[in-house]
Amino acid sequence: MKKLTIVLTLIFVTACVQNKNIYYWGDYSDTLYATKKEPSAESKERHYRELLNIINNAQSYEKKIPPGIYFELSMYESEKGNHDKANILLNQEYSLYPEAKTYIENLRVGDKNE
């Protein structure tokens, strides 16, 4: 009985460790760092494309889209003047992460006042 308990505990711990990262991040850290280190149109475009890549590939890796990805992408779209697309992306962020409601509402209010 003692051996069975140990084996079941090891299986449980192993399963938890394997599922440690439930989000697909792609090259997010690298492209964000490049954008912050050397801000340019090219580095911003690479990061923008990486955000799209994360959204498009998360399911194929059987992972979730991380919190804030749609939100950040909506900021890029808003900068480009694509406010309708930005609002669609904010709705997608809210549907995945309703706890982001305050941030989303503040961003929308900002768009209306500008």
Side-chain angles (χ1 to χ4, degrees):
M1 186 67 168
K2 192 173 187 179
K3 287 182 182 180
L4 179 61
T5 303
I6 292 171
V7 169
L8 289 176
T9 302
L10 287 174
I11 290 172
F12 177 74
V13 169
T14 303
C16 291
V17 170
Q18 287 177 352
N19 204 11
K20 182 180 176 183
N21 193 354
I22 61 173
Y23 302 111
Y24 174 69
W25 288 98
D27 290 330
Y28 180 86
S29 295
D30 294 335
T31 59
L32 179 63
Y33 178 76
T35 301
K36 299 300 180 186
K37 183 179 177 188
E38 295 180 32
S40 68
E42 293 81 19
S43 64
K44 286 179 80 172
E45 182 62 26
R46 276 193 301 274
H47 188 61
Y48 174 82
R49 284 194 316 266
E50 184 56 32
L51 294 171
L52 293 173
N53 175 56
I54 290 168
I55 291 167
N56 292 329
N57 292 321
Q59 188 174 8
S60 65
Y61 285 94
E62 298 179 358
K63 300 209 177 217
K64 296 180 179 183
I65 296 168
I69 297 296
Y70 281 113
F71 187 88
E72 190 174 347
L73 193 56
S74 75
M75 291 172 45
Y76 275 97
E77 292 298 342
S78 185
E79 284 177 12
K80 294 177 180 181
N82 301 330
H83 298 292
D84 290 339
K85 191 170 184 179
N87 282 326
I88 290 169
L89 293 164
L90 289 174
N91 288 336
Q92 290 172 308
E93 179 76 23
Y94 179 73
S95 71
L96 289 175
Y97 302 102
E99 61 274 17
K101 180 181 179 179
T102 302
Y103 294 108
I104 292 169
E105 287 176 352
N106 286 338
L107 187 62
R108 284 195 179 133
V109 168
D111 283 345
K112 290 177 185 174
N113 292 333
E114 292 182 356

